[in-house]
């Protein structure tokens, strides 16, 4: 496994080792000791244990986000795409962070097998770039609807440059994602 820092401190790309032979390929999608050691190598803290695995499937142009959960159920997320493609985005929303409101985006797809580590204190979302995009992720806390918050994906104060797949004029959103902008959020996670 190799970690590649993004331009947003704390958010890193995970490139798992892939072993190819005449049968196909094998890859460890998660290995806690190796993940923790690789994070330590970048001076980053090990996350809490992952408590939940999620799997969603999206049509081309579907945008899920920007979402986060507040303490005591803040979630770190280790995300990947196993079929299709997605542009995955993390935003630092920790009150007091020197990088508050900054975002980074990474192409995740079945071919590059890349993952993105999004720590607690960051909002997360993605836009699906193909039909039938299967998005899998581990979270460091369980789903807690009362702690869940949404930030509008096109908040000009954040300025995410969302790509859209060919033929899609506008992102396809759930009603809950026509949300408030970042600076209108009533409560934001603390900088730990
Ligand atoms: C997130 C979640 C949802 N649900 C139920 C609640 C709804 O009845 C249904 C769909 O939930 P939602 O519309 O919140 O799903 P997404 O829009 O994909 O939400 C996710 O979108 C972005 C990408 C994130 O980073 C979060 O993990 C999460 O907020 O599944 C559960 O039962 N457990 C869960 O952990």
């Amino acid at each position: 496994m190799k970690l590649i820092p993004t331009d947003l401190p704390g958010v890193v790309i995970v490139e798992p080792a892939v072993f190819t032979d005449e049968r196909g390929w094998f890859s460890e999608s998660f290995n806690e000791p190796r993940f923790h050691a690789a994070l330590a190598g970048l001076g980053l803290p090990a996350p809490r244990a992952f408590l939940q695995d999620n799997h969603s499937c999206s049509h081309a142009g579907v945008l899920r986000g920007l979402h986060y959960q507040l303490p005591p159920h803040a979630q770190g997320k280790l995300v990947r795409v196993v079929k299709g493609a997605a542009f995955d985005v993390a935003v630092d929303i920790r009150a007091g962070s020197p990088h508050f409101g900054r975002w980074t985006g990474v192409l995740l797809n079945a071919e590059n097998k890349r993952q993105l580590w999004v720590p607690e204190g960051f909002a997360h979302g993605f836009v699906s770039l193909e039909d039938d995009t299967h998005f899998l992720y581990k979270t460091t806390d369980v789903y807690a609807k009362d702690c869940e918050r949404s930030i509008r994906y096109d908040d000009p104060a954040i300025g995410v440059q969302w790509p859209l797949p060919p033929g899609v004029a506008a992102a396809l959103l759930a009603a809950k994602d026509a949300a408030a902008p970042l600076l209108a959020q009533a409560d934001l996670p603390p900088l730990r």
Side-chain angles (χ1 to χ4, degrees):
M1 156 201 309
K2 182 172 76 171
L3 297 193
I4 303 168
T6 66
D7 55 358
L8 184 55
V11 179
V12 294
I13 295 165
V14 181
E15 279 198 346
V18 180
F19 303 94
T20 301
D21 63 24
E22 64 283 355
R23 299 166 297 171
W25 57 267
F26 174 91
S27 181
E28 289 183 357
S29 53
F30 177 68
N31 180 311
E32 184 176 270
R34 286 185 175 159
F35 183 51
H36 287 188
L39 286 171
L42 292 179
L44 295 173
R48 295 187 292 146
F50 291 105
L51 300 186
Q52 184 174 311
D53 281 349
N54 295 331
H55 183 170
S56 67
C57 179
S58 298
H59 308 308
V62 165
L63 194 154
R64 298 175 185 258
L66 294 158
H67 302 159
Y68 65 101
Q69 289 193 172
L70 287 169
H73 296 289
Q75 291 177 318
K77 297 164 187 168
L78 182 60
V79 308
R80 64 192 178 115
V81 169
V82 295
K83 185 175 186 296
F87 183 74
D88 198 67
V89 170
V91 186
D92 188 342
I93 58 167
R94 295 169 297 172
S97 167
H99 311 295
F100 180 78
R102 273 182 55 187
W103 68 280
T104 192
V106 178
L107 176 66
L108 305 177
N109 61 32
E111 285 68 39
N112 69 25
K113 299 181 181 61
R114 282 183 154 192
Q115 305 178 14
L116 192 65
W117 166 238
V118 180
E120 297 177 9
F122 289 71
H124 174 252
F126 68 87
V127 62
S128 172
L129 300 174
E130 295 177 16
D131 277 330
D132 202 27
T133 286
H134 286 247
F135 195 89
L136 279 64
Y137 53 115
K138 310 176 80 69
T139 60
T140 60
D141 212 304
V142 294
Y143 178 56
K145 187 163 183 54
D146 293 346
C147 295
E148 189 183 41
R149 300 292 185 275
S150 291
I151 298 167
R152 60 176 304 124
Y153 77 102
D154 61 352
D155 183 347
I158 301 172
V160 177
Q161 300 295 307
W162 296 97
L164 285 175
V168 174
L172 306 173
L173 300 169
K176 73 170 192 177
D177 288 339
L182 173 59
L183 298 179
Q185 297 291 317
D187 35 28
L188 291 168
L191 179 63
R192 281 214 172 94

